[in-house]
Amino acid sequence: MAGNYKIAVIGGDGIGPEVLEAALEVVDVVGVKLDTTMYDLGAAHYLRTGEVLPDDVLSTLKEFDAIMLGAVGPPIGSVDVPDGLLERGLLLKLRFDLDLYVNLRPFTGIPGSIATGHDMVVIRENTEGPYAGEGGILRKGTDNEVATQGSVNTRYGVERCVRAAFDIAAQRPAQRISLVHKTNVLTYSGDLWKRVFDEVAADFSQVERSYSHVDAACIYLVEDPGRYDVIVTDNLFGDILTDLAGSVFGGIGFAASANLNLSRNGPSLFEPVHGAAHDIAGTGRANPVAAIRSAAMMLDYLGEKDAASRMSDAVLGYLREYDPAQPVQHTADTTREIVRRLQ
Ligand code: IPM
Ligand code: MN
């Protein structure tokens, strides 16, 4: 067995633990040995203990080779967990503190979806933009209340993300990259993004580049997803576009992601794009594909190239032959189907 990587596993809430279990099973089948440590974090943990992500746990997480995360979040409408507490205190804290500056989200159009047979990648900046938390509320609760929420865009942050996106585009057969922003309205941040994009492009003359405003990109994604090969965009646009892309390419249950610290001075984090889906938790109906594909991305990032490509080929084979006319496959069936392709 190759490996023996130290992996922190945060199953989290709802279907999170179930889909990670499926992913770990497939990793085992491809023969990579993981030394896993489970961390109990998320909404249920918070409600039991009042803790979100204690500092000592965060420091411990920094010692791992990688982190696998299932999903965190309370059931919709839960009044017991304040809005944003887990998002800011756990997931975004990990993205920021571990400097996971690239959020890599690949999409493969399953048969029957609008994007059948097409694939693309979104590179979402993951540590800045409106997510940085700049702003505040003045005179809260009064008639004169003021709320501001800024967007932080540093040349350093934009450039390292754009460069990573060009690197990825240069390795793909189509070699096409599109910047998505809103330069016609966000004339400060958009200007910085566009200039950096054009500057970095000079080092990648073989990569064909284009630009779309984010509103138009939503139309193109739905009407002509083949227009895009690699999209690079800011944190909030990337969040929204990748939910849209998830749906266009067949469903959010297939959408994987890698939160990467490409300077490799700490662990990267791998998680499905979907949330906790409390409504189907425990029913065996969760789609494990996003988690399995995220785990394949983790193996690739850890340098287990052979195992990673066998695992992602098995997932892609499964997706290519996916029959939308069949009754919905359940967690165990899907996992078995992917494992069968590895034997
Ligand atoms: C995602 C999620 C997160 C985000 C939430 C849970 C904070 O929607 O990973 O896309 O907005 O980035
Ligand atoms: Mn999202």
Side-chain angles (χ1 to χ4, degrees), residues 19-315:
V19 295
L20 282 196
E21 199 183 307
L24 288 169
E25 185 185 328
V26 182
V27 170
D28 196 49
V29 172
V30 292
V32 178
K33 181 93 187 74
L34 303 182
D35 174 6
T36 54
T37 308
M38 305 290 171
Y39 282 86
D40 184 13
L41 295 168
H45 178 78
Y46 166 74
L47 290 172
R48 248 190 349 266
T49 62
E51 280 174 3
V52 178
L53 177 62
D55 285 344
D56 59 319
V57 176
L58 177 60
S59 327
T60 318
L61 288 174
K62 290 184 178 163
E63 302 305 316
F64 284 86
D65 294 317
I67 301 169
M68 294 171 80
L69 189 138
V72 291
I76 292 168
S78 158
V79 288
D80 302 326
V81 184
D83 213 14
L85 184 84
L86 291 167
E87 289 83 349
R88 284 225 159 267
L90 180 52
L91 183 55
L92 300 183
K93 194 167 174 58
L94 287 170
R95 288 180 184 167
F96 293 163
D97 278 45
L98 301 176
D99 204 21
L100 307 175
Y101 61 91
V102 160
N103 195 327
L104 181 64
R105 297 185 161 181
F107 297 93
T108 297
I110 64 163
S113 71
I114 306 178
T116 302
H118 179 59
D119 72 280
M120 69 162 203
V121 180
V122 176
I123 286 105
R124 159 185 179 188
E125 200 292 319
N126 214 28
T127 55
E128 300 191 342
Y131 277 68
E134 192 220 30
I137 300 193
L138 282 176
R139 303 190 290 267
K140 188 167 180 172
T142 72
D143 289 346
N144 298 320
E145 175 158 23
V146 181
T148 64
Q149 189 98 46
S151 172
V152 173
N153 299 263
T154 67
R155 171 172 278 274
Y156 170 75
V158 174
E159 184 177 343
R160 63 183 181 169
C161 172
V162 167
R163 199 164 278 286
F166 269 95
D167 277 335
I168 288 165
Q171 287 161 34
R172 290 172 59 86
Q175 298 199 317
R176 289 190 287 120
I177 189 167
S178 305
L179 171 66
V180 173
H181 209 281
K182 185 73 186 173
T183 55
N184 54 345
V185 173
L186 305 181
T187 50
Y188 308 131
S189 58
D191 184 61
L192 176 63
W193 272 85
K194 185 71 173 68
R195 278 184 290 115
V196 169
F197 181 72
D198 291 339
E199 282 167 28
V200 174
D203 295 337
F204 294 87
S205 53
Q206 76 279 29
V207 177
E208 183 190 321
R209 70 183 196 271
S210 62
Y211 169 81
S212 304
H213 291 316
V214 64
D215 47 352
C218 292
I219 298 178
Y220 296 143
L221 260 184
V222 172
E223 294 191 349
D224 180 22
R227 170 189 286 257
Y228 296 117
D229 180 38
V230 172
I231 286 179
V232 61
T233 191
D234 98 332
N235 208 339
L236 183 59
F237 295 144
D239 177 49
I240 298 166
L241 279 179
T242 53
D243 264 20
L244 178 63
S247 175
V248 165
F249 282 71
I252 200 73
F254 296 107
S257 84
N259 296 256
L260 301 174
N261 172 340
L262 293 172
S263 61
R264 292 181 181 263
N265 57 11
S268 288
L269 182 152
F270 301 81
E271 54 164 349
V273 176
H274 63 71
H278 287 272
D279 53 336
I280 57 165
T283 66
R285 284 159 56 216
N287 184 347
V289 172
I292 295 172
R293 193 170 188 187
S294 303
M297 293 166 86
M298 176 180 81
L299 295 189
D300 184 70
Y301 193 71
L302 290 172
E304 291 291 337
K305 299 292 176 189
D306 176 58
S309 71
R310 281 189 293 122
M311 191 160 159
S312 88
D313 285 351
V315 173

